[in-house]
């Protein structure tokens, strides 16, 4: 199961109104507000949190790509399908035409390309030539 489906689902839940008011304004709601030692106020909006979640998920997806096994190809195909879902939604859905969603789309693309690249490099090292 590709983990990039998690940010995709979270974004769509926010657009449906299950995380705040719904729609694009929901991405602007602060979910974390901290007072720093310097006296500044640091805040993280819901859209920013989605990006952080996607980056953490990307890390685990790249780790998963280093494994070799029969399910690895299926995982790559499913990751490609998640990227296609991101792309189609970005092009066709009004609420997906945001900077946050575009960054999530880009992270999904990096997941697909990086996963294939890491798998190819890992598979090349697993081949041994007996002379």
């Amino acid at each position: 199961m590709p983990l990039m489906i998690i940010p995709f689902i979270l974004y769509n839940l926010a657009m449906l109104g299950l995380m705040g008011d719904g729609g694009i304004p929901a991405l602007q709601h602060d979910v974390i507000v901290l007072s720093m030692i310097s006296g500044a106020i640091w805040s993280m909006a819901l859209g920013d949190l989605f990006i952080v979640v996607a980056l953490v998920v990307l890390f685990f997806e790249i780790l998963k790509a280093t494994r070799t096994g029969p399910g690895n190809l299926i995982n790559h195909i499913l990751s490609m399908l998640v990227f296609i879902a991101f792309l189609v939604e970005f092009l066709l859905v009004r609420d997906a035409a945001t900077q946050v969603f575009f960054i999530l789309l880009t992270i999904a693309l990096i997941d697909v390309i990086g996963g294939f690249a890491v798998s190819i490099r890992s598979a090349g090292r697993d081949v041994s030539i007996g002379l």
Side-chain angles (χ1 to χ4, degrees), residues 78-99:
L78 292 175
S79 292
M80 178 65 80
L81 291 175
V82 170
F83 168 70
I84 292 170
F86 267 107
L87 183 61
V88 168
E89 186 167 339
F90 180 71
L91 295 173
L92 300 178
V93 177
R94 181 180 303 256
D95 283 345
T98 65
Q99 294 87 348

Side-chain angles (χ1 to χ4, degrees), residues 13-15 17-33 42-50 100:
L13 289 175
M15 292 302 109
L18 299 175
M19 296 180 187
D21 298 336
I24 295 173
L27 299 175
Q28 305 301 323
H29 289 270
D30 289 336
V31 290
I32 300 172
V33 177
W42 177 77
S43 64
M44 180 180 283
L46 184 61
D48 301 331
L49 183 62
F50 289 162
V100 171

Side-chain angles (χ1 to χ4, degrees), residues 18-67:
L18 299 175
M19 296 180 187
D21 298 336
I24 295 173
L27 299 175
Q28 305 301 323
H29 289 270
D30 289 336
V31 290
I32 300 172
V33 177
L34 297 173
S35 297
M36 306 304 286
I37 295 173
S38 65
I41 302 294
W42 177 77
S43 64
M44 180 180 283
L46 184 61
D48 301 331
L49 183 62
F50 289 162
I51 294 169
V52 171
V53 167
L55 288 171
V56 171
V57 165
L58 177 64
F59 171 74
F60 287 109
E61 283 289 336
I62 298 298
L63 285 180
K64 281 177 30 179
T66 61
R67 296 182 304 179

Side-chain angles (χ1 to χ4, degrees), residues 7-9 22 49 59 109:
F8 184 75
I9 291 171
L49 183 62
F59 171 74
L109 176 64

